[in-house]
Amino acid sequence: MTEQHEQRTPWHRFERGTDGPKVIVVGVDGSESSLRAAAYAGGLARRQHALLAVVYVQPVLAAGAALGAPVAETTDEIAEDLIQQIREAAERVKGIFEVRWEFHTFRGDPYNGLVKAADELKADAVVVGASEQAGHRIIGSVAVRLVKAGRWPVTVVP
């Protein structure tokens, strides 16, 4: 009777290596919460043998540029600093933890930049840090907007 039961309910069989995300997108901006999100996403990627796509969204601040502020140079420096931090972290765990990762830069506001990144990179999951700005509790954070979009599983790391 057990054999018949197994034939009628094949979905109960365990399949190794066929489930789980293939691409995990994590948004980083240099804040403590985004770096914690990157560490968490790195652990997920390692355990799932997924690609970790680290995404920095460079803000486009037309007003700052109009006032003569070197906005593009500043955001490029932030991106370079983030890449350096990620490389150093990867080097520290080399040989202990192996994670495939890529760094991507998109321009725009954080929400639309992460949506574009997740779409273009065919993300199976998105990880972001919790907002550290008090105003976001009232008007909504990037994380809340991503969750409400309902297009990917979203993990918010405190």
Side-chain angles (χ1 to χ4, degrees):
M1 178 152 193
T2 304
E3 192 173 309
Q4 288 177 337
H5 178 70
E6 286 180 13
Q7 288 176 353
R8 280 187 267 154
T9 57
W11 58 85
H12 289 289
R13 293 186 184 147
F14 178 75
E15 294 181 60
R16 179 178 290 276
T18 57
D19 296 336
K22 299 295 178 215
V23 178
I24 298 172
V25 166
V26 61
V28 295
D29 60 8
S31 67
E32 287 296 318
S33 67
S34 78
L35 296 177
R36 285 191 298 271
Y40 181 84
L44 286 176
R46 178 183 57 80
R47 288 186 295 279
Q48 296 291 332
H49 305 290
L51 172 67
L52 177 63
V54 181
V55 174
Y56 170 61
V57 180
Q58 288 184 305
V60 177
L61 303 173
L67 296 172
V71 175
E73 289 177 23
T74 302
T75 59
D76 286 344
E77 288 173 14
I78 292 170
E80 288 300 320
D81 183 52
L82 289 171
I83 292 170
Q84 186 59 36
Q85 288 181 44
I86 294 163
R87 282 191 180 127
E88 289 171 2
E91 207 44 50
R92 283 193 299 271
V93 297
K94 192 173 185 175
I96 302 169
F97 299 118
E98 295 299 325
V99 177
R100 292 181 305 124
W101 64 276
E102 300 174 346
F103 185 86
H104 299 271
T105 302
F106 288 81
R107 290 191 180 272
D109 68 276
Y111 170 76
N112 287 313
L114 285 172
V115 166
K116 183 177 180 180
D119 283 344
E120 286 185 15
L121 299 169
K122 297 179 179 21
D124 296 303
V126 177
V127 179
V128 292
S131 176
E132 296 177 350
Q133 297 180 6
H136 286 173
R137 291 189 182 100
I138 299 166
I139 60 172
S141 66
V142 171
V144 169
R145 292 173 67 194
L146 287 168
V147 170
K148 285 183 178 181
R151 294 166 63 181
W152 321 267
V154 177
T155 301
V156 183
V157 178

